């Protein structure tokens, strides 16, 4: 329970949060862009997009075309006339992997169940004697961990930048703040670059790696928890 408490740190009343599907966004960067039925200039023209129009991009071809959503259907435009909107890096734990951590209170694993609660991913926190369910999610405002039909916690507030602060738990319990976006963190599971460092008023420091999630926790210079193994489920 102590290990899980460290993993779930910043308390907020539970509410449903929805997360976007994996696509790209772009805007038209030319005066008029032809929309084609197929990825070729000889294909039937389905319409024209004006400069500044925002489009959803499903994929890009090596020949220079982008498959987009157009009038609720799929169509193609020339990629060179699109300006892509940079995606925010994700720090959500990978639901195709099993995580093993070791800390001052022993070892435990995070195991994906392959199931969802609304838009949240359901995971197991497993020790040698106990297994509990918890949920994780991410949206444009933050990275979250919580319990079904209970509270959820802010692990990182977005958009991430050094100095960004948020309240921990209930009123008066202090704050967490981002103190770095570029930490290199070494663990038995590997070395992770460009990690986000989050420091709490309590002295705990948490490190999150892109597309991996939490990899290490430190307090007073002592490693409280770290990732020792990351394997495919």
């Amino acid at each position: 329970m102590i290990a899980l408490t460290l993993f779930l740190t910043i308390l907020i009343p539970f509410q449903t949060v929805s997360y976007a599907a994996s696509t790209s966004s772009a805007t038209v960067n030319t005066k008029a862009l032809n929309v084609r039925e197929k990825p070729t200039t000889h294909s039937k023209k389905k319409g024209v997009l004006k400069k500044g129009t925002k489009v959803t991009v499903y994929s890009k071809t090596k020949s220079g075309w982008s498959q987009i959503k157009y009038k609720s259907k799929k169509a193609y435009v020339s990629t060179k006339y699109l300006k892509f909107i940079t995606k925010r890096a994700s720090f959500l734990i990978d639901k195709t992997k099993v995580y093993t951590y070791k800390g001052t209170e022993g070892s435990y694993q995070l195991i994906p169940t392959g199931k969802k609660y609304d838009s949240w991913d359901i995971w197991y926190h497993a020790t040698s004697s106990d297994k509990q369910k918890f949920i994780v999610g991410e949206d444009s405002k933050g990275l979250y961990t919580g319990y079904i039909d209970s509270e959820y916690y802010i692990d990182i507030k977005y958009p991430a930048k050094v100095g960004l602060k948020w309240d921990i738990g209930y009123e008066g319990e202090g704050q967490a703040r981002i103190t770095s976006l570029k930490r290199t963190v070494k663990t038995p599971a590997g070395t992770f670059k460009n990690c986000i460092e989050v420091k709490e008023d309590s002295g705990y420091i948490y490190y999150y790696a892109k597309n991996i999630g939490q990899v290490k926790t430190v307090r007073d210079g002592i490693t409280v928890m770290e990732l020792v193994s990351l394997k495919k489920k």
Side-chain angles (χ1 to χ4, degrees):
M1 279 302 298
I2 293 176
L4 185 57
T5 300
L6 289 173
F7 192 74
L8 307 177
T9 57
I10 302 157
L11 176 65
I12 293 179
F14 182 82
Q15 63 183 23
T16 299
V17 181
S18 297
Y19 307 102
S22 181
T23 58
S24 299
S25 295
T27 55
V28 175
N29 200 28
T30 187
K31 187 175 181 180
L33 180 59
N34 291 327
V35 181
R36 303 282 182 179
E37 190 175 66
K38 295 180 180 180
T40 170
T41 55
H42 301 296
S43 178
K44 181 180 177 181
K45 189 167 76 172
K46 301 186 72 174
V48 178
L49 296 174
K50 295 181 180 180
K51 186 174 184 178
T53 302
K54 186 176 178 180
V55 295
T56 298
V57 180
Y58 295 111
S59 63
K60 292 187 286 185
T61 70
K62 292 181 179 180
S63 58
W65 292 86
S66 289
Q67 186 185 64
I68 68 167
K69 182 179 181 180
Y70 182 71
K71 294 183 178 180
S72 301
K73 294 184 179 180
K74 293 180 179 180
Y76 293 86
V77 296
S78 178
T79 301
K80 67 180 180 180
Y81 297 117
L82 294 177
K83 182 179 181 180
F84 284 83
I85 300 169
T86 303
K87 275 191 172 182
R88 169 186 46 77
S90 173
F91 291 84
L92 190 66
I93 51 179
D94 186 347
K95 60 185 177 183
T96 68
K97 305 288 177 61
V98 173
Y99 291 66
T100 302
Y101 293 90
K102 186 176 182 180
T104 54
E105 300 298 325
S107 299
Y108 64 94
Q109 289 187 314
L110 303 183
I111 305 169
T113 66
K115 298 179 180 180
K116 284 185 172 289
Y117 177 74
D118 290 328
S119 296
W120 299 71
D121 295 321
I122 303 175
W123 285 70
Y124 285 120
H125 175 278
T127 66
S128 58
S129 60
D130 188 32
K131 183 186 284 188
Q132 298 183 47
K133 286 183 179 180
F134 69 98
I135 53 179
V136 296
E138 185 180 43
D139 64 11
S140 61
K141 295 182 180 180
L143 176 69
Y144 312 97
T145 307
Y147 295 101
I148 295 173
D149 290 331
S150 186
E151 299 84 11
Y152 71 86
Y153 306 76
I154 300 175
D155 297 319
I156 306 172
K157 192 172 182 179
Y158 295 149
K161 60 182 180 180
V162 174
L164 182 64
K165 298 180 181 180
W166 58 95
D167 291 333
I168 298 172
Y170 296 106
E171 186 177 354
E173 292 186 20
Q175 290 186 315
R177 67 193 59 81
I178 295 175
T179 49
S180 178
L181 302 174
K182 297 182 179 180
R183 291 294 188 213
T184 296
V185 180
K186 294 183 178 180
T187 75
T191 299
F192 303 94
K193 296 182 179 180
N194 297 318
C195 291
I196 288 181
E197 179 184 80
V198 176
K199 186 174 183 179
E200 292 184 356
D201 289 344
S202 63
Y204 283 102
I205 303 173
Y206 303 89
Y207 296 95
Y208 299 87
K210 292 179 182 179
N211 303 311
I212 300 294
Q214 190 177 349
V215 294
K216 197 169 189 175
T217 303
V218 175
R219 188 181 188 188
D220 298 328
I222 298 173
T223 297
V224 178
M225 176 278 289
E226 63 182 345
L227 185 64
V228 297
S229 174
L230 187 62
K231 297 180 179 180
K232 288 186 177 181
K233 182 180 177 183

